[in-house]
Amino acid sequence: MREIIEIADINDPRVAAYSRLTEAQLRNRLEPEKGLFIAESPKVIASALDAGYAPASLLMERRHIDGDGKAIIERTDCPVYTGERDILAALTGYELTRGVLCAMRRTSERSAADISHGIRRAAVIDGVVDSTNVGAIFRSAAALGMDAVFVTKSTCDPYNRRAVRVSMGTVFMVPWAYIDSANELKDYGFKTCAMALTDESVSIDDPALRECPKLAIVLGTEGDGLRKSVIADCDYTVKIPMYHGVDSLNVAAASAVAFWELHK
């Protein structure tokens, strides 16, 4: 087994990626391919390794070196940092409930043109800022038949630590790319479908949607939903039929219902 490096000081610069660097600093917006993201839990780290992402370092509690983290260590050749539980909790700012973290290198961002060919169903995440919701949308997209996900730049980074964990690593499985707006997808042959409550909204099970050869479902922010300009630019506006006086669902729950219906 390679050398295990003991960390006794939360200010140790070798583990700055886990403590002092913000999400924006990890992302390195000017040169994303030089940036990092943090993957949490052996299962999520394994998914990233399977997808070809390169590990920069590992951080784990001692008990996981010969336990949950052992298989991950055997698959990597990067430094492995460890320490007392309280030191690691102070360093990361939270208890390591899954025990293992990995700083991983980002890859070059793909373009919408790169991933648009040959796909029929896609999701657009427009302005969703909650990392939990972004991760849940990716997990639903992977499980319920979406071929790709497009993300506007006002949306939370899909490689945010919590988004990655909530997605259970599906951000590494589903092709995704940044776009300026859903309208951009029309250049690639998509019809766009805004999830919104308006007088013109049709039901998500409308046959016209199912028959559409290339369709992108557009999901808006948690509070106010999609902007009026985004809705106006879409080819369709749809809603999920609701009962008991409830008028809407959380965006993550709504995405799962919509993806299921459009994939049937």
PDB file of all heavy atoms in Angstrom, residues 18 35 72 106 178 187 195 201 217 257 263:
ATOM      1  N   TYR A  18      -9.914  20.667   0.392  1.00  0.00           N
ATOM      2  CA  TYR A  18     -11.010  20.180   1.236  1.00  0.00           C
ATOM      3  C   TYR A  18     -11.445  21.198   2.284  1.00  0.00           C
ATOM      4  O   TYR A  18     -12.449  20.997   2.949  1.00  0.00           O
ATOM      5  CB  TYR A  18     -10.591  18.897   1.956  1.00  0.00           C
ATOM      6  CG  TYR A  18     -10.159  17.800   1.030  1.00  0.00           C
ATOM      7  CD1 TYR A  18      -8.797  17.558   0.795  1.00  0.00           C
ATOM      8  CD2 TYR A  18     -11.090  17.003   0.377  1.00  0.00           C
ATOM      9  CE1 TYR A  18      -8.391  16.540  -0.052  1.00  0.00           C
ATOM     10  CE2 TYR A  18     -10.685  15.989  -0.475  1.00  0.00           C
ATOM     11  CZ  TYR A  18      -9.336  15.768  -0.692  1.00  0.00           C
ATOM     12  OH  TYR A  18      -8.933  14.764  -1.547  1.00  0.00           O
ATOM     13  N   GLY A  35      -9.312  22.867 -13.028  1.00  0.00           N
ATOM     14  CA  GLY A  35     -10.027  22.924 -11.761  1.00  0.00           C
ATOM     15  C   GLY A  35     -10.221  21.553 -11.129  1.00  0.00           C
ATOM     16  O   GLY A  35      -9.860  20.519 -11.684  1.00  0.00           O
ATOM     17  N   ILE A  72     -10.984   1.894  -3.226  1.00  0.00           N
ATOM     18  CA  ILE A  72     -10.688   3.148  -3.921  1.00  0.00           C
ATOM     19  C   ILE A  72      -9.184   3.404  -3.928  1.00  0.00           C
ATOM     20  O   ILE A  72      -8.605   3.771  -4.946  1.00  0.00           O
ATOM     21  CB  ILE A  72     -11.438   4.326  -3.264  1.00  0.00           C
ATOM     22  CG1 ILE A  72     -12.952   4.123  -3.366  1.00  0.00           C
ATOM     23  CG2 ILE A  72     -11.024   5.655  -3.880  1.00  0.00           C
ATOM     24  CD1 ILE A  72     -13.485   4.096  -4.782  1.00  0.00           C
ATOM     25  N   ARG A 106     -11.159  18.203 -13.030  1.00  0.00           N
ATOM     26  CA  ARG A 106     -12.204  18.422 -14.030  1.00  0.00           C
ATOM     27  C   ARG A 106     -11.664  18.111 -15.423  1.00  0.00           C
ATOM     28  O   ARG A 106     -10.459  18.179 -15.665  1.00  0.00           O
ATOM     29  CB  ARG A 106     -12.682  19.873 -13.982  1.00  0.00           C
ATOM     30  CG  ARG A 106     -13.477  20.208 -12.726  1.00  0.00           C
ATOM     31  CD  ARG A 106     -13.815  21.684 -12.694  1.00  0.00           C
ATOM     32  NE  ARG A 106     -14.559  22.006 -11.491  1.00  0.00           N
ATOM     33  CZ  ARG A 106     -15.886  22.177 -11.449  1.00  0.00           C
ATOM     34  NH1 ARG A 106     -16.592  22.072 -12.560  1.00  0.00           N
ATOM     35  NH2 ARG A 106     -16.481  22.457 -10.311  1.00  0.00           N
ATOM     36  N   TYR A 178     -23.101  23.173 -20.849  1.00  0.00           N
ATOM     37  CA  TYR A 178     -23.661  24.494 -20.568  1.00  0.00           C
ATOM     38  C   TYR A 178     -24.245  25.101 -21.848  1.00  0.00           C
ATOM     39  O   TYR A 178     -23.725  24.892 -22.955  1.00  0.00           O
ATOM     40  CB  TYR A 178     -22.577  25.428 -20.029  1.00  0.00           C
ATOM     41  CG  TYR A 178     -22.282  25.220 -18.560  1.00  0.00           C
ATOM     42  CD1 TYR A 178     -21.075  24.643 -18.148  1.00  0.00           C
ATOM     43  CD2 TYR A 178     -23.199  25.594 -17.589  1.00  0.00           C
ATOM     44  CE1 TYR A 178     -20.803  24.448 -16.804  1.00  0.00           C
ATOM     45  CE2 TYR A 178     -22.929  25.399 -16.241  1.00  0.00           C
ATOM     46  CZ  TYR A 178     -21.740  24.835 -15.854  1.00  0.00           C
ATOM     47  OH  TYR A 178     -21.482  24.636 -14.524  1.00  0.00           O
ATOM     48  N   ASP A 187     -31.442  25.206 -32.579  1.00  0.00           N
ATOM     49  CA  ASP A 187     -30.462  25.070 -33.663  1.00  0.00           C
ATOM     50  C   ASP A 187     -30.085  23.609 -33.895  1.00  0.00           C
ATOM     51  O   ASP A 187     -29.540  23.275 -34.955  1.00  0.00           O
ATOM     52  CB  ASP A 187     -29.185  25.863 -33.332  1.00  0.00           C
ATOM     53  CG  ASP A 187     -29.417  27.362 -33.303  1.00  0.00           C
ATOM     54  OD1 ASP A 187     -30.399  27.818 -33.928  1.00  0.00           O
ATOM     55  OD2 ASP A 187     -28.623  28.067 -32.666  1.00  0.00           O
ATOM     56  N   MET A 195     -41.814  23.910 -18.356  1.00  0.00           N
ATOM     57  CA  MET A 195     -42.638  23.478 -17.243  1.00  0.00           C
ATOM     58  C   MET A 195     -43.096  24.726 -16.494  1.00  0.00           C
ATOM     59  O   MET A 195     -42.307  25.368 -15.799  1.00  0.00           O
ATOM     60  CB  MET A 195     -41.833  22.583 -16.302  1.00  0.00           C
ATOM     61  CG  MET A 195     -41.458  21.221 -16.866  1.00  0.00           C
ATOM     62  SD  MET A 195     -42.852  20.092 -16.998  1.00  0.00           S
ATOM     63  CE  MET A 195     -43.265  19.851 -15.288  1.00  0.00           C
ATOM     64  N   SER A 201     -50.947  26.284 -20.631  1.00  0.00           N
ATOM     65  CA  SER A 201     -50.246  25.036 -20.359  1.00  0.00           C
ATOM     66  C   SER A 201     -51.104  23.822 -20.715  1.00  0.00           C
ATOM     67  O   SER A 201     -52.304  23.780 -20.411  1.00  0.00           O
ATOM     68  CB  SER A 201     -49.858  24.949 -18.882  1.00  0.00           C
ATOM     69  OG  SER A 201     -48.954  25.966 -18.533  1.00  0.00           O
ATOM     70  N   ILE A 217     -37.130  19.306 -22.143  1.00  0.00           N
ATOM     71  CA  ILE A 217     -38.005  19.791 -21.081  1.00  0.00           C
ATOM     72  C   ILE A 217     -37.240  20.807 -20.235  1.00  0.00           C
ATOM     73  O   ILE A 217     -36.138  20.530 -19.766  1.00  0.00           O
ATOM     74  CB  ILE A 217     -38.532  18.626 -20.221  1.00  0.00           C
ATOM     75  CG1 ILE A 217     -39.577  19.086 -19.220  1.00  0.00           C
ATOM     76  CG2 ILE A 217     -37.423  17.874 -19.529  1.00  0.00           C
ATOM     77  CD1 ILE A 217     -40.941  19.197 -19.797  1.00  0.00           C
ATOM     78  N   VAL A 257     -41.380  13.264 -12.490  1.00  0.00           N
ATOM     79  CA  VAL A 257     -42.672  12.985 -13.118  1.00  0.00           C
ATOM     80  C   VAL A 257     -42.609  13.268 -14.615  1.00  0.00           C
ATOM     81  O   VAL A 257     -43.054  12.460 -15.443  1.00  0.00           O
ATOM     82  CB  VAL A 257     -43.785  13.822 -12.456  1.00  0.00           C
ATOM     83  CG1 VAL A 257     -45.108  13.635 -13.194  1.00  0.00           C
ATOM     84  CG2 VAL A 257     -43.942  13.453 -10.985  1.00  0.00           C
ATOM     85  N   HIS A 263     -40.701   9.707 -21.311  1.00  0.00           N
ATOM     86  CA  HIS A 263     -39.944   8.537 -21.749  1.00  0.00           C
ATOM     87  C   HIS A 263     -40.831   7.349 -22.072  1.00  0.00           C
ATOM     88  O   HIS A 263     -40.405   6.417 -22.746  1.00  0.00           O
ATOM     89  CB  HIS A 263     -38.921   8.138 -20.690  1.00  0.00           C
ATOM     90  CG  HIS A 263     -38.048   6.991 -21.072  1.00  0.00           C
ATOM     91  ND1 HIS A 263     -37.133   7.085 -22.096  1.00  0.00           N
ATOM     92  CD2 HIS A 263     -37.955   5.718 -20.591  1.00  0.00           C
ATOM     93  CE1 HIS A 263     -36.509   5.912 -22.227  1.00  0.00           C
ATOM     94  NE2 HIS A 263     -36.977   5.076 -21.325  1.00  0.00           N
TER      95      HIS A 263
END
